[in-house]
Amino acid sequence: MKKNKRVLNGAIAGMALSVALSASAQAGSLTIASPQDPGSWDPIDTFLVNWASVATNIFDGLTYRGPDLELVPGLATEWEELDDGTRIRFTLREGVTFHNGEPFNAEAVKFTFDRLLGEEGGQGPQRSNYTAIESVEVIDDYTVDFHLNEPDPVLLTKLAGYGAMIVPPEYLTEYGDEHFNTHPVGTGPFKVVEYNPREDVQLEAFADHWGGAPKLDEVTYRFISEPSTAVAELQAGRVDIVIPPTIPIGMIDTINNHDGASIVSVASPTVEAIRFNTQSGITADERVRKAMIMAVDRQAIIDSILAGEGEMIASFQGAQSFGNDPDMEPLPYDPQQARELLDEAGVEQGATVQIDVRGNDATFGEVAQVVASYLQGVGITASIQPYETNVLLNDIIPAGRTGEMFQQKWGGWTFDFDNTAYLMYHTGERWNPYDSDAELDEMLEAQRSITDQEERETLLQAIAQYTQDRALEMPLYSINALYGVSDRVENFEPAPDNRMRLTNVDVSE
Amino acid sequence: MTAAIKTDKLKRFKNLEFILGVLLVGGIGLAVIFSGWLFPGGGSELNLAYRLTPPLVEPGFPLGTDPLGRDVLARVIIGGEISLKVGVYSALGAVVIGIIMGLVSGYYGGFLDMIVMRFADVQLALPFILLAITFIAVIGGGLTNMIILLIISQWVQYARLVRGSVLSLRDREFILAAKAIGVKDIRILFQHLLPNLIGPVIVLMTLNVANNILLESSLTFLGLGVDPVIPSWGGMLAEGRTYLQTAWWVSVFPGLAILLTVLGLNLLGDWLRDALDPTGRTSL
């Protein structure tokens, strides 16, 4: 017994020594290449997926959704829907502290949502996702009631990310919003040590995290927007993980051919479509829109250009999306019928259309050219107009200044068709500059107030079918999220929505 | 003695420069002119089954195929059309405007000169890429717009060059004599002044054509240039970039085409400078 203990002691000492040794060799430090610096880390300021890929490690929400997409308790241990879904009572986790030592309690929750729904939140893009919340009431230190204007079937999911991340009231009151943008403090498994805008952000493990201490000591996110640079850094071993959306399909082989790194791909909510100007030009005619969809062999595009890293979609949502009907078929590839439809609509051979695309999207640049070539096959000449991404998203599409067709890439992180469909098809929405359909508006509004999930799913599927019947867009594919991962990374689980928590990730030497 | 040998060597080198320049520019020019006849398909036929075929593997694709299975050789040659068009038209346009502005400004001087030259200063202070991005965001991309953009950004060089020469020429005896016998201004400008200063302008133009081909390629590379459906060297470079490590031929051949064209033009320009101005009187 005594002998055993000594052996054990020796083993522990040996372990301690090896830990000390590896710590000096910078064990437990991981470097990630992210394509975009969100500029501000304040949860109410952003809608960027690359904000979330970092901030998921800094902040916690009341609920938590990991790579398996199951909604589990986060800072709230349990919740209960009351008053026909217009009140939700949350029981909060006890003994949680923010990185600065401030305690997490009901006041912090109230402060977070008062802020989000108040003046500060009004300046950012996040508030609109949470307008179903009327107020947050503190019942006691660890119980809060959310009073809702109307039931919001997706609210619990929305509480797991973005604007609903819980922020520290005392810290914010003392230092102000401006300071918080660059020096964020949350309850998450990592705390921010240093942030160099446009360069990197360095995180350090927060050992007191309620979910257990992370295995890594440090994580650095370097902002590298150029795919070739990020991949070269991965090959050189200066970066351990390249996160999406960085790696173009064309570089998959480059990484897989390299010893020491490989591609990890996972089905993601990101879908791509070419949407139509339904108001003017030849695409105002439903028959023309259908003909254009049928003229394009979407499966061939997925097989060749996407190297199989995608799946055909029938409506503007992926297979995991709530509201996707697995039995709904995409319009078939049928150039013969496409030609007939075009004749019927009186479209002359050589009619021209313009496709607006994001100029920096290498993969879609190829896809658009293939689409143009298929359209040529039925007698439509398509030109491609690349725009700077921000110009296209902030200027051209919302203002209705696109050509007949335009690229739309969409990553609905809630995995619920409501978010996508409402913003794409409801009259007057930002992403719907051309169409106005009373029947569709009515369906979109109706599904929001249905609490019965089965009934709501049926209605969402009907909406998807309706958009296909009217051919509001050419749904192309859902595309996998591609991670370039160095072999020294262990326990890496790719997150479909790019919101990956690094608690369990480790590195070997 | 040694000086004579040196000149002899230099002359031989100059001849070589000329021959190489003519061969490169002439060869590429001819290939581009007859590209429609050589490749009736326009280099835009997709063969997804043959995508990324390496060079010298399939007989139909001597330089391989790009990610969409298009013939790289056909696209390089047809893509030259865009590059040469942009290079030549924009340089010509800039020369015409620059000469007129420079002549008027240098000859008449005064207020007009001040306006033109201040305008030129402002123009020179604007970084090209900034000007290009703004211009294309407002007006839109495409071939014609790109040519206009290059003219706008480059006429100034010619205007300044011409103005400088006019200033040194306008008080010379032959101009004063022409004035004294009552020759009209327009005739003095175009018949007496212009032929005496055209040498350096032509040299500058040759070099500018080369420069504009590079600028066109960069703009298209950045996605600000011509429609990606139309083959162009810059566009091909951009498309091939992601495949650089797995399929080098997609971007290496258009890159080579740019290199050889620009090299050829520079050699010709260099030779032309010495031919037009053997003693190096006027410096560029």
Side-chain angles (χ1 to χ4, degrees), chain B residues 165-192:
Chain B
S165 310
V166 171
L167 286 183
S168 70
L169 289 172
R170 75 170 176 197
D171 295 327
R172 296 270 288 276
E173 293 79 356
F174 69 100
I175 300 292
L176 293 176
K179 264 191 189 165
I181 57 168
V183 178
K184 279 198 184 120
D185 279 358
I186 192 127
R187 199 162 157 186
I188 294 181
L189 285 177
F190 288 98
Q191 220 161 44
H192 297 282

PDB file of all heavy atoms in Angstrom, chain B residues 165-192:
ATOM      1  N   SER B 165       7.658  70.258 -73.015  1.00  0.00           N
ATOM      2  CA  SER B 165       8.338  70.441 -74.301  1.00  0.00           C
ATOM      3  C   SER B 165       7.894  71.740 -74.967  1.00  0.00           C
ATOM      4  O   SER B 165       8.723  72.455 -75.549  1.00  0.00           O
ATOM      5  CB  SER B 165       8.022  69.262 -75.229  1.00  0.00           C
ATOM      6  OG  SER B 165       8.253  68.066 -74.564  1.00  0.00           O
ATOM      7  N   VAL B 166       6.601  72.037 -74.888  1.00  0.00           N
ATOM      8  CA  VAL B 166       6.101  73.256 -75.519  1.00  0.00           C
ATOM      9  C   VAL B 166       6.777  74.467 -74.894  1.00  0.00           C
ATOM     10  O   VAL B 166       7.204  75.391 -75.579  1.00  0.00           O
ATOM     11  CB  VAL B 166       4.559  73.359 -75.373  1.00  0.00           C
ATOM     12  CG1 VAL B 166       4.082  74.729 -75.838  1.00  0.00           C
ATOM     13  CG2 VAL B 166       3.879  72.269 -76.170  1.00  0.00           C
ATOM     14  N   LEU B 167       6.898  74.458 -73.569  1.00  0.00           N
ATOM     15  CA  LEU B 167       7.523  75.595 -72.880  1.00  0.00           C
ATOM     16  C   LEU B 167       8.937  75.849 -73.390  1.00  0.00           C
ATOM     17  O   LEU B 167       9.357  76.989 -73.564  1.00  0.00           O
ATOM     18  CB  LEU B 167       7.556  75.349 -71.371  1.00  0.00           C
ATOM     19  CG  LEU B 167       6.219  75.489 -70.635  1.00  0.00           C
ATOM     20  CD1 LEU B 167       6.410  75.282 -69.145  1.00  0.00           C
ATOM     21  CD2 LEU B 167       5.584  76.838 -70.920  1.00  0.00           C
ATOM     22  N   SER B 168       9.677  74.746 -73.665  1.00  0.00           N
ATOM     23  CA  SER B 168      11.055  74.937 -74.121  1.00  0.00           C
ATOM     24  C   SER B 168      11.107  75.273 -75.609  1.00  0.00           C
ATOM     25  O   SER B 168      12.106  75.786 -76.089  1.00  0.00           O
ATOM     26  CB  SER B 168      11.883  73.689 -73.824  1.00  0.00           C
ATOM     27  OG  SER B 168      11.463  72.641 -74.665  1.00  0.00           O
ATOM     28  N   LEU B 169      10.040  74.964 -76.338  1.00  0.00           N
ATOM     29  CA  LEU B 169      10.059  75.185 -77.786  1.00  0.00           C
ATOM     30  C   LEU B 169       9.428  76.508 -78.206  1.00  0.00           C
ATOM     31  O   LEU B 169       9.783  77.073 -79.235  1.00  0.00           O
ATOM     32  CB  LEU B 169       9.311  74.056 -78.509  1.00  0.00           C
ATOM     33  CG  LEU B 169       9.966  72.673 -78.554  1.00  0.00           C
ATOM     34  CD1 LEU B 169       8.987  71.663 -79.140  1.00  0.00           C
ATOM     35  CD2 LEU B 169      11.238  72.720 -79.376  1.00  0.00           C
ATOM     36  N   ARG B 170       8.482  77.004 -77.401  1.00  0.00           N
ATOM     37  CA  ARG B 170       7.637  78.069 -77.939  1.00  0.00           C
ATOM     38  C   ARG B 170       8.379  79.381 -78.181  1.00  0.00           C
ATOM     39  O   ARG B 170       7.929  80.211 -78.955  1.00  0.00           O
ATOM     40  CB  ARG B 170       6.424  78.284 -77.041  1.00  0.00           C
ATOM     41  CG  ARG B 170       6.704  79.006 -75.749  1.00  0.00           C
ATOM     42  CD  ARG B 170       5.430  79.381 -75.037  1.00  0.00           C
ATOM     43  NE  ARG B 170       5.770  79.993 -73.762  1.00  0.00           N
ATOM     44  CZ  ARG B 170       4.938  80.145 -72.769  1.00  0.00           C
ATOM     45  NH1 ARG B 170       3.688  79.728 -72.893  1.00  0.00           N
ATOM     46  NH2 ARG B 170       5.309  80.725 -71.651  1.00  0.00           N
ATOM     47  N   ASP B 171       9.529  79.593 -77.491  1.00  0.00           N
ATOM     48  CA  ASP B 171      10.274  80.819 -77.728  1.00  0.00           C
ATOM     49  C   ASP B 171      11.441  80.611 -78.692  1.00  0.00           C
ATOM     50  O   ASP B 171      12.273  81.499 -78.877  1.00  0.00           O
ATOM     51  CB  ASP B 171      10.794  81.390 -76.405  1.00  0.00           C
ATOM     52  CG  ASP B 171       9.620  81.823 -75.534  1.00  0.00           C
ATOM     53  OD1 ASP B 171       8.597  82.264 -76.113  1.00  0.00           O
ATOM     54  OD2 ASP B 171       9.712  81.687 -74.295  1.00  0.00           O
ATOM     55  N   ARG B 172      11.495  79.430 -79.330  1.00  0.00           N
ATOM     56  CA  ARG B 172      12.566  79.189 -80.300  1.00  0.00           C
ATOM     57  C   ARG B 172      12.288  79.968 -81.579  1.00  0.00           C
ATOM     58  O   ARG B 172      11.152  80.349 -81.861  1.00  0.00           O
ATOM     59  CB  ARG B 172      12.649  77.690 -80.621  1.00  0.00           C
ATOM     60  CG  ARG B 172      13.034  76.821 -79.424  1.00  0.00           C
ATOM     61  CD  ARG B 172      14.556  76.655 -79.315  1.00  0.00           C
ATOM     62  NE  ARG B 172      15.049  75.790 -80.361  1.00  0.00           N
ATOM     63  CZ  ARG B 172      15.049  74.444 -80.279  1.00  0.00           C
ATOM     64  NH1 ARG B 172      14.600  73.845 -79.199  1.00  0.00           N
ATOM     65  NH2 ARG B 172      15.514  73.740 -81.263  1.00  0.00           N
ATOM     66  N   GLU B 173      13.356  80.173 -82.354  1.00  0.00           N
ATOM     67  CA  GLU B 173      13.246  81.057 -83.519  1.00  0.00           C
ATOM     68  C   GLU B 173      12.200  80.608 -84.519  1.00  0.00           C
ATOM     69  O   GLU B 173      11.456  81.420 -85.054  1.00  0.00           O
ATOM     70  CB  GLU B 173      14.604  81.172 -84.227  1.00  0.00           C
ATOM     71  CG  GLU B 173      15.697  81.881 -83.446  1.00  0.00           C
ATOM     72  CD  GLU B 173      16.336  80.988 -82.387  1.00  0.00           C
ATOM     73  OE1 GLU B 173      15.869  79.825 -82.209  1.00  0.00           O
ATOM     74  OE2 GLU B 173      17.290  81.423 -81.713  1.00  0.00           O
ATOM     75  N   PHE B 174      12.138  79.323 -84.771  1.00  0.00           N
ATOM     76  CA  PHE B 174      11.219  78.905 -85.854  1.00  0.00           C
ATOM     77  C   PHE B 174       9.756  79.152 -85.485  1.00  0.00           C
ATOM     78  O   PHE B 174       8.925  79.440 -86.324  1.00  0.00           O
ATOM     79  CB  PHE B 174      11.466  77.443 -86.257  1.00  0.00           C
ATOM     80  CG  PHE B 174      11.086  76.414 -85.236  1.00  0.00           C
ATOM     81  CD1 PHE B 174       9.880  75.716 -85.348  1.00  0.00           C
ATOM     82  CD2 PHE B 174      11.919  76.114 -84.159  1.00  0.00           C
ATOM     83  CE1 PHE B 174       9.534  74.760 -84.424  1.00  0.00           C
ATOM     84  CE2 PHE B 174      11.577  75.158 -83.233  1.00  0.00           C
ATOM     85  CZ  PHE B 174      10.389  74.485 -83.352  1.00  0.00           C
ATOM     86  N   ILE B 175       9.452  79.091 -84.187  1.00  0.00           N
ATOM     87  CA  ILE B 175       8.087  79.387 -83.773  1.00  0.00           C
ATOM     88  C   ILE B 175       7.842  80.889 -83.869  1.00  0.00           C
ATOM     89  O   ILE B 175       6.819  81.353 -84.379  1.00  0.00           O
ATOM     90  CB  ILE B 175       7.846  78.895 -82.332  1.00  0.00           C
ATOM     91  CG1 ILE B 175       8.070  77.380 -82.231  1.00  0.00           C
ATOM     92  CG2 ILE B 175       6.439  79.262 -81.864  1.00  0.00           C
ATOM     93  CD1 ILE B 175       7.049  76.554 -82.965  1.00  0.00           C
ATOM     94  N   LEU B 176       8.846  81.646 -83.372  1.00  0.00           N
ATOM     95  CA  LEU B 176       8.694  83.100 -83.428  1.00  0.00           C
ATOM     96  C   LEU B 176       8.532  83.559 -84.874  1.00  0.00           C
ATOM     97  O   LEU B 176       7.711  84.424 -85.178  1.00  0.00           O
ATOM     98  CB  LEU B 176       9.914  83.778 -82.797  1.00  0.00           C
ATOM     99  CG  LEU B 176      10.056  83.552 -81.277  1.00  0.00           C
ATOM    100  CD1 LEU B 176      11.350  84.181 -80.765  1.00  0.00           C
ATOM    101  CD2 LEU B 176       8.838  84.116 -80.538  1.00  0.00           C
ATOM    102  N   ALA B 177       9.312  82.902 -85.772  1.00  0.00           N
ATOM    103  CA  ALA B 177       9.219  83.257 -87.190  1.00  0.00           C
ATOM    104  C   ALA B 177       7.828  82.964 -87.733  1.00  0.00           C
ATOM    105  O   ALA B 177       7.222  83.778 -88.431  1.00  0.00           O
ATOM    106  CB  ALA B 177      10.260  82.466 -87.978  1.00  0.00           C
ATOM    107  N   ALA B 178       7.322  81.774 -87.365  1.00  0.00           N
ATOM    108  CA  ALA B 178       5.990  81.414 -87.838  1.00  0.00           C
ATOM    109  C   ALA B 178       4.966  82.418 -87.343  1.00  0.00           C
ATOM    110  O   ALA B 178       4.093  82.872 -88.089  1.00  0.00           O
ATOM    111  CB  ALA B 178       5.637  80.015 -87.345  1.00  0.00           C
ATOM    112  N   LYS B 179       5.121  82.777 -86.069  1.00  0.00           N
ATOM    113  CA  LYS B 179       4.195  83.762 -85.506  1.00  0.00           C
ATOM    114  C   LYS B 179       4.296  85.079 -86.266  1.00  0.00           C
ATOM    115  O   LYS B 179       3.287  85.699 -86.587  1.00  0.00           O
ATOM    116  CB  LYS B 179       4.548  84.010 -84.037  1.00  0.00           C
ATOM    117  CG  LYS B 179       3.713  83.185 -83.065  1.00  0.00           C
ATOM    118  CD  LYS B 179       3.962  83.707 -81.652  1.00  0.00           C
ATOM    119  CE  LYS B 179       3.347  82.795 -80.626  1.00  0.00           C
ATOM    120  NZ  LYS B 179       3.861  83.087 -79.296  1.00  0.00           N
ATOM    121  N   ALA B 180       5.547  85.489 -86.534  1.00  0.00           N
ATOM    122  CA  ALA B 180       5.779  86.789 -87.165  1.00  0.00           C
ATOM    123  C   ALA B 180       5.128  86.883 -88.536  1.00  0.00           C
ATOM    124  O   ALA B 180       4.635  87.929 -88.924  1.00  0.00           O
ATOM    125  CB  ALA B 180       7.284  87.041 -87.276  1.00  0.00           C
ATOM    126  N   ILE B 181       5.120  85.747 -89.268  1.00  0.00           N
ATOM    127  CA  ILE B 181       4.490  85.845 -90.584  1.00  0.00           C
ATOM    128  C   ILE B 181       2.995  85.557 -90.516  1.00  0.00           C
ATOM    129  O   ILE B 181       2.322  85.365 -91.526  1.00  0.00           O
ATOM    130  CB  ILE B 181       5.159  84.909 -91.630  1.00  0.00           C
ATOM    131  CG1 ILE B 181       5.121  83.470 -91.139  1.00  0.00           C
ATOM    132  CG2 ILE B 181       6.578  85.360 -91.955  1.00  0.00           C
ATOM    133  CD1 ILE B 181       5.498  82.462 -92.211  1.00  0.00           C
ATOM    134  N   GLY B 182       2.479  85.466 -89.260  1.00  0.00           N
ATOM    135  CA  GLY B 182       1.017  85.404 -89.091  1.00  0.00           C
ATOM    136  C   GLY B 182       0.398  84.040 -89.278  1.00  0.00           C
ATOM    137  O   GLY B 182      -0.756  83.938 -89.668  1.00  0.00           O
ATOM    138  N   VAL B 183       1.169  82.974 -88.989  1.00  0.00           N
ATOM    139  CA  VAL B 183       0.576  81.626 -89.057  1.00  0.00           C
ATOM    140  C   VAL B 183      -0.430  81.478 -87.926  1.00  0.00           C
ATOM    141  O   VAL B 183      -0.202  81.939 -86.808  1.00  0.00           O
ATOM    142  CB  VAL B 183       1.676  80.548 -88.937  1.00  0.00           C
ATOM    143  CG1 VAL B 183       1.051  79.160 -88.948  1.00  0.00           C
ATOM    144  CG2 VAL B 183       2.681  80.700 -90.048  1.00  0.00           C
ATOM    145  N   LYS B 184      -1.535  80.835 -88.230  1.00  0.00           N
ATOM    146  CA  LYS B 184      -2.570  80.668 -87.204  1.00  0.00           C
ATOM    147  C   LYS B 184      -2.078  79.766 -86.073  1.00  0.00           C
ATOM    148  O   LYS B 184      -1.283  78.848 -86.291  1.00  0.00           O
ATOM    149  CB  LYS B 184      -3.806  80.027 -87.838  1.00  0.00           C
ATOM    150  CG  LYS B 184      -4.676  81.025 -88.576  1.00  0.00           C
ATOM    151  CD  LYS B 184      -6.077  80.438 -88.793  1.00  0.00           C
ATOM    152  CE  LYS B 184      -6.921  81.381 -89.603  1.00  0.00           C
ATOM    153  NZ  LYS B 184      -7.380  80.785 -90.855  1.00  0.00           N
ATOM    154  N   ASP B 185      -2.601  80.031 -84.882  1.00  0.00           N
ATOM    155  CA  ASP B 185      -2.190  79.262 -83.695  1.00  0.00           C
ATOM    156  C   ASP B 185      -2.340  77.761 -83.889  1.00  0.00           C
ATOM    157  O   ASP B 185      -1.457  76.980 -83.543  1.00  0.00           O
ATOM    158  CB  ASP B 185      -3.047  79.678 -82.482  1.00  0.00           C
ATOM    159  CG  ASP B 185      -2.517  80.958 -81.869  1.00  0.00           C
ATOM    160  OD1 ASP B 185      -1.489  81.459 -82.381  1.00  0.00           O
ATOM    161  OD2 ASP B 185      -3.122  81.456 -80.914  1.00  0.00           O
ATOM    162  N   ILE B 186      -3.489  77.380 -84.436  1.00  0.00           N
ATOM    163  CA  ILE B 186      -3.772  75.952 -84.546  1.00  0.00           C
ATOM    164  C   ILE B 186      -2.727  75.266 -85.413  1.00  0.00           C
ATOM    165  O   ILE B 186      -2.311  74.134 -85.143  1.00  0.00           O
ATOM    166  CB  ILE B 186      -5.198  75.729 -85.060  1.00  0.00           C
ATOM    167  CG1 ILE B 186      -5.610  74.259 -84.907  1.00  0.00           C
ATOM    168  CG2 ILE B 186      -5.370  76.132 -86.501  1.00  0.00           C
ATOM    169  CD1 ILE B 186      -6.898  74.112 -84.181  1.00  0.00           C
ATOM    170  N   ARG B 187      -2.270  76.001 -86.427  1.00  0.00           N
ATOM    171  CA  ARG B 187      -1.259  75.437 -87.316  1.00  0.00           C
ATOM    172  C   ARG B 187       0.103  75.382 -86.636  1.00  0.00           C
ATOM    173  O   ARG B 187       0.850  74.420 -86.792  1.00  0.00           O
ATOM    174  CB  ARG B 187      -1.191  76.307 -88.578  1.00  0.00           C
ATOM    175  CG  ARG B 187      -0.546  75.552 -89.681  1.00  0.00           C
ATOM    176  CD  ARG B 187      -0.806  76.123 -91.014  1.00  0.00           C
ATOM    177  NE  ARG B 187       0.271  75.659 -91.883  1.00  0.00           N
ATOM    178  CZ  ARG B 187       0.428  76.061 -93.110  1.00  0.00           C
ATOM    179  NH1 ARG B 187      -0.408  76.930 -93.637  1.00  0.00           N
ATOM    180  NH2 ARG B 187       1.410  75.584 -93.825  1.00  0.00           N
ATOM    181  N   ILE B 188       0.398  76.392 -85.859  1.00  0.00           N
ATOM    182  CA  ILE B 188       1.658  76.370 -85.096  1.00  0.00           C
ATOM    183  C   ILE B 188       1.663  75.173 -84.155  1.00  0.00           C
ATOM    184  O   ILE B 188       2.633  74.429 -84.077  1.00  0.00           O
ATOM    185  CB  ILE B 188       1.827  77.674 -84.288  1.00  0.00           C
ATOM    186  CG1 ILE B 188       1.991  78.855 -85.237  1.00  0.00           C
ATOM    187  CG2 ILE B 188       3.008  77.571 -83.326  1.00  0.00           C
ATOM    188  CD1 ILE B 188       2.180  80.175 -84.567  1.00  0.00           C
ATOM    189  N   LEU B 189       0.529  74.994 -83.460  1.00  0.00           N
ATOM    190  CA  LEU B 189       0.441  73.922 -82.474  1.00  0.00           C
ATOM    191  C   LEU B 189       0.653  72.564 -83.111  1.00  0.00           C
ATOM    192  O   LEU B 189       1.468  71.773 -82.658  1.00  0.00           O
ATOM    193  CB  LEU B 189      -0.924  73.951 -81.781  1.00  0.00           C
ATOM    194  CG  LEU B 189      -1.146  75.044 -80.737  1.00  0.00           C
ATOM    195  CD1 LEU B 189      -2.563  74.985 -80.210  1.00  0.00           C
ATOM    196  CD2 LEU B 189      -0.155  74.916 -79.605  1.00  0.00           C
ATOM    197  N   PHE B 190      -0.103  72.303 -84.169  1.00  0.00           N
ATOM    198  CA  PHE B 190      -0.095  70.941 -84.692  1.00  0.00           C
ATOM    199  C   PHE B 190       0.944  70.691 -85.777  1.00  0.00           C
ATOM    200  O   PHE B 190       1.310  69.564 -86.009  1.00  0.00           O
ATOM    201  CB  PHE B 190      -1.501  70.547 -85.178  1.00  0.00           C
ATOM    202  CG  PHE B 190      -2.435  70.324 -84.030  1.00  0.00           C
ATOM    203  CD1 PHE B 190      -3.316  71.313 -83.613  1.00  0.00           C
ATOM    204  CD2 PHE B 190      -2.397  69.125 -83.317  1.00  0.00           C
ATOM    205  CE1 PHE B 190      -4.161  71.100 -82.535  1.00  0.00           C
ATOM    206  CE2 PHE B 190      -3.230  68.923 -82.242  1.00  0.00           C
ATOM    207  CZ  PHE B 190      -4.112  69.907 -81.843  1.00  0.00           C
ATOM    208  N   GLN B 191       1.382  71.789 -86.461  1.00  0.00           N
ATOM    209  CA  GLN B 191       2.328  71.529 -87.528  1.00  0.00           C
ATOM    210  C   GLN B 191       3.762  71.865 -87.162  1.00  0.00           C
ATOM    211  O   GLN B 191       4.693  71.244 -87.655  1.00  0.00           O
ATOM    212  CB  GLN B 191       1.928  72.328 -88.768  1.00  0.00           C
ATOM    213  CG  GLN B 191       2.121  71.527 -90.029  1.00  0.00           C
ATOM    214  CD  GLN B 191       1.330  72.114 -91.165  1.00  0.00           C
ATOM    215  OE1 GLN B 191       1.324  73.336 -91.357  1.00  0.00           O
ATOM    216  NE2 GLN B 191       0.652  71.272 -91.913  1.00  0.00           N
ATOM    217  N   HIS B 192       3.929  72.799 -86.236  1.00  0.00           N
ATOM    218  CA  HIS B 192       5.291  73.185 -85.878  1.00  0.00           C
ATOM    219  C   HIS B 192       5.721  72.628 -84.534  1.00  0.00           C
ATOM    220  O   HIS B 192       6.843  72.182 -84.386  1.00  0.00           O
ATOM    221  CB  HIS B 192       5.417  74.709 -85.887  1.00  0.00           C
ATOM    222  CG  HIS B 192       5.190  75.296 -87.239  1.00  0.00           C
ATOM    223  ND1 HIS B 192       6.147  75.270 -88.225  1.00  0.00           N
ATOM    224  CD2 HIS B 192       4.114  75.897 -87.788  1.00  0.00           C
ATOM    225  CE1 HIS B 192       5.668  75.827 -89.318  1.00  0.00           C
ATOM    226  NE2 HIS B 192       4.420  76.230 -89.070  1.00  0.00           N
TER     227      HIS B 192
END
